[in-house]
Amino acid sequence: MLMRTDPFRELDRLAQQVLNTTGTWSRPSAMPMDAYREGDQYVIAFDLPGVAKDAIDIDVERNMLTVKAERRPVTKADDVQMELSERPLGVFSRQVMLADTLDTEHIDADYDAGVLTLRIPIAERAKPRKIAIGGGSARKEISG
């Protein structure tokens, strides 16, 4: 149901994890995701811990699903001295090419406990269906 569009994006994602770089709007970091089919729906779950719900943007144009999110730094008092900062900040983005068999007009999005879950119904035209066999009568042509 999904098609990988850019194999180099995975290399960028791995490099960002190793180097712990911050994503920007022009060069966002990748976000981890799971994708699976559950009954008549396709489910995609994105890990976005610490991201506010209003900092998530979801777009679908044709069959390209784009999820962008920004994790902003927490404001601290002037007398706070940071000792360790390992949690990634900045912009995260992921683009997923959706198959034509998915109904992109009816995507449902939920955000709970740092996980954005998108549920995309399988289009009716893509669901398996039985074909009835008609009871035709044998026709005989008489030439005469």
Side-chain angles (χ1 to χ4, degrees):
M1 296 287 173
L2 300 178
M3 299 173 5
R4 296 211 182 249
T5 56
D6 185 3
F8 296 106
R9 181 76 176 173
E10 287 300 308
L11 291 174
D12 284 345
R13 185 180 64 80
L14 290 172
Q16 287 172 347
Q17 285 179 342
V18 170
L19 300 174
N20 197 20
T21 59
T22 301
T24 63
W25 283 105
S26 61
R27 189 163 177 79
S29 298
M31 64 188 82
M33 71 174 226
D34 290 337
Y36 53 92
R37 183 172 177 164
E38 185 177 82
D40 286 343
Q41 293 183 332
Y42 205 72
V43 181
I44 306 174
F46 298 92
D47 279 349
L48 294 170
V51 174
K53 183 178 175 179
D54 64 345
I56 301 172
D57 186 40
I58 306 167
D59 290 315
V60 177
E61 185 176 337
R62 295 192 182 129
N63 287 9
M64 181 64 72
L65 171 73
T66 303
V67 177
K68 278 194 173 185
E70 183 176 12
R71 184 169 179 195
R72 300 173 182 119
V74 178
T75 34
K76 296 171 182 52
D78 292 338
D79 63 341
V80 172
Q81 181 179 344
M82 182 63 80
E83 295 292 329
L84 180 64
S85 179
E86 294 181 345
R87 299 181 329 157
L89 299 174
V91 180
F92 302 88
S93 178
R94 195 74 185 252
Q95 285 191 313
V96 178
M97 179 68 83
L98 302 175
D100 290 334
T101 56
L102 298 176
D103 183 0
T104 59
E105 297 294 320
H106 297 97
I107 297 176
D108 181 41
D110 290 312
Y111 187 58
D112 184 39
V115 178
L116 173 67
T117 303
L118 303 180
R119 295 184 180 281
I120 310 166
I122 306 289
E124 287 297 320
R125 69 182 181 279
K127 292 179 183 176
R129 59 194 177 281
K130 295 274 185 195
I131 306 297
I133 301 172
S137 60
R139 291 181 45 183
K140 212 185 241 188
E141 285 190 30
I142 302 174
S143 53

